[in-house]
């Protein structure tokens, strides 16, 4: 099977950037104080945390019979989180993420990969397992997993827009989706619903170029998707600004609603903004177990 020439060139260029990307991710991760990583989560530890009502799937050996004897309901004794948790990443590698509006700005894909690697380093250093959503790279621990993640994240897709992956997610785990979320929003809704059905909570990080946020275009302009699958030409681009800004605000509001309904959190990050700020938000979202 022959490889798409453009895709192959991008893959070779990406491979040459791999060590520098890892170095940047390590440096970025070091800017976030690790501290005592989010211990207040239920799990198999030694310290008692709280009681909760018995749920479908709990075994009878988990029941605290003394607490349950006080009423009609059966209660499970939860303990403080002290074992490795699993985090699944989905990082949009579609063509739309390769956009940058200026020479002094990084492509959205570069920022997304940097964020994904940095949060992976933080999670793995905290003893957690990190992998890619789907079947290709299950969650694991260790420096070797960071290298595997790096290699997998550098792969590009020929699709214009990405579709979140929610297969094979471990029940009650956490996840991170990083994308511009500019494609079909129904696929995002489907993925979040599947994740929520398995008790998976997480964070949606939308990465946008400042031009996509501000729409600075005027006069005659041709708007074309990165793979030229969508094209629109206009003589008065400035006349489109109000409608575009309104549609983008509507899209963000819909994303927030989806996140709220499924127990996730949502944030937008621009590629001209400090990357440390976005990583700190993402790290805190993971610590909260969202």
């Amino acid at each position: 099977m022959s490889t798409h020439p453009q895709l192959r060139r991008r893959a070779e260029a990406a491979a040459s950037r791999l060590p520098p990307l890892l170095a940047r991710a390590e440096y970025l991760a070091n800017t976030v104080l690790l501290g005592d990583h989010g211990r207040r989560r239920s799990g198999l530890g030694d310290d008692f945390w709280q009681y909760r009502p018995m749920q479908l799937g709990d075994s009878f050996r988990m029941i605290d019979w003394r607490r349950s004897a006080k009423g009609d309901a059966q209660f499970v004794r939860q303990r403080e989180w002290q074992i490795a948790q699993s985090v699944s990443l989905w990082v949009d590698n579609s063509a739309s993420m390769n956009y940058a509006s200026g020479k002094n700005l990084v492509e959205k894909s570069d920022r997304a990969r940097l964020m994904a690697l940095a949060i992976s380093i933080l999670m793995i250093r905290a003893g957690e397992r990190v992998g890619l959503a789907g079947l290709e790279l299950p969650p694991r621990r260790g420096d070797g997993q960071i290298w595997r993640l790096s290699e997998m994240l550098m792969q590009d897709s020929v699709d214009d827009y990405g579709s979140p992956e929610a297969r094979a997610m471990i029940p009650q785990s956490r996840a991170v989706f990083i994308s511009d979320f500019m494609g079909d929003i129904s696929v995002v809704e489907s993925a979040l619903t599947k994740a929520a059905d398995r008790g998976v909570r997480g964070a949606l990080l939308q990465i946008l170029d400042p031009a996509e946020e501000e729409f600075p275009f005027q006069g005659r302009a041709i708007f074309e998707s990165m793979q030229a699958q969508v094209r629109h030409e206009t003589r008065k681009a400035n006349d489109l600004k109000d409608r575009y800004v309104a549609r983008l605000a509507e899209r963000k509001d819909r994303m927030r609603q989806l996140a709220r309904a499924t127990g996730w959190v949502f944030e937008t990050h621009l590629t001209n903004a400090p990357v440390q700020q976005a990583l700190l938000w993402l790290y805190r979202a993971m610590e909260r177990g969202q």
Side-chain angles (χ1 to χ4, degrees), residues 194-210:
K194 289 178 182 178
D197 287 344
R198 299 180 68 83
V200 177
R201 299 293 181 266
L204 303 169
L205 181 60
Q206 181 184 46
I207 296 184
L208 297 178
D209 184 274

Side-chain angles (χ1 to χ4, degrees), residues 72-136:
D72 296 331
Q74 292 176 325
F75 288 86
V76 168
R77 185 183 179 92
Q78 283 190 321
R79 298 185 183 278
E80 188 176 350
W81 180 93
Q82 290 184 347
I83 61 172
Q85 302 291 295
S86 294
V87 179
S88 296
L89 300 173
W90 174 72
V91 182
D92 191 348
N93 65 346
S94 66
S96 72
M97 295 296 290
N98 298 327
Y99 176 69
S101 62
K103 294 181 179 179
N104 296 327
L105 294 170
V106 298
E107 294 180 356
K108 293 182 290 182
S109 59
D110 181 89
R111 183 58 54 87
R113 287 160 175 160
L114 177 61
M115 290 289 301
L117 279 179
I119 194 65
S120 296
I121 290 169
L122 287 172
M123 296 291 100
I124 287 174
R125 282 181 181 174
E128 305 199 19
R129 296 183 294 264
V130 181
L132 296 181
L135 305 173
E136 293 183 312

Side-chain angles (χ1 to χ4, degrees), residues 35-211:
D36 186 21
H37 182 70
R39 295 301 183 192
R40 284 302 183 187
R41 301 192 197 99
S42 59
L44 301 178
D46 297 326
D47 299 326
F48 170 69
W49 180 24
Q50 67 177 7
Y51 293 109
R52 66 165 173 80
M54 187 178 184
Q55 301 173 353
L56 183 65
D58 291 337
S59 64
F60 283 102
R61 64 182 178 83
M62 297 172 64
I63 298 175
D64 187 286
W65 295 107
R66 179 176 296 180
R67 173 64 180 84
S68 300
K70 296 180 180 180
D72 296 331
Q74 292 176 325
F75 288 86
V76 168
R77 185 183 179 92
Q78 283 190 321
R79 298 185 183 278
E80 188 176 350
W81 180 93
Q82 290 184 347
I83 61 172
Q85 302 291 295
S86 294
V87 179
S88 296
L89 300 173
W90 174 72
V91 182
D92 191 348
N93 65 346
S94 66
S96 72
M97 295 296 290
N98 298 327
Y99 176 69
S101 62
K103 294 181 179 179
N104 296 327
L105 294 170
V106 298
E107 294 180 356
K108 293 182 290 182
S109 59
D110 181 89
R111 183 58 54 87
R113 287 160 175 160
L114 177 61
M115 290 289 301
L117 279 179
I119 194 65
S120 296
I121 290 169
L122 287 172
M123 296 291 100
I124 287 174
R125 282 181 181 174
E128 305 199 19
R129 296 183 294 264
V130 181
L132 296 181
L135 305 173
E136 293 183 312
L137 188 62
R140 295 190 182 95
R141 287 176 287 180
D143 290 341
Q145 183 72 346
I146 294 174
W147 273 97
R148 286 186 286 268
L149 283 165
S150 303
E151 294 172 343
M152 297 290 289
L153 288 172
M154 297 307 289
Q155 298 178 7
D156 284 325
S157 168
V158 297
D159 296 328
D160 253 336
Y161 301 101
S163 298
E165 175 65 85
R167 293 178 299 165
M169 283 191 174
I170 299 173
Q172 309 303 319
S173 64
R174 289 166 294 154
V176 176
F177 288 177
I178 304 178
S179 172
D180 57 12
F181 298 109
M182 298 291 269
D184 184 0
I185 199 169
S186 67
V187 299
V188 181
E189 182 174 8
S190 176
L192 288 183
T193 300
K194 289 178 182 178
D197 287 344
R198 299 180 68 83
V200 177
R201 299 293 181 266
L204 303 169
L205 181 60
Q206 181 184 46
I207 296 184
L208 297 178
D209 184 274

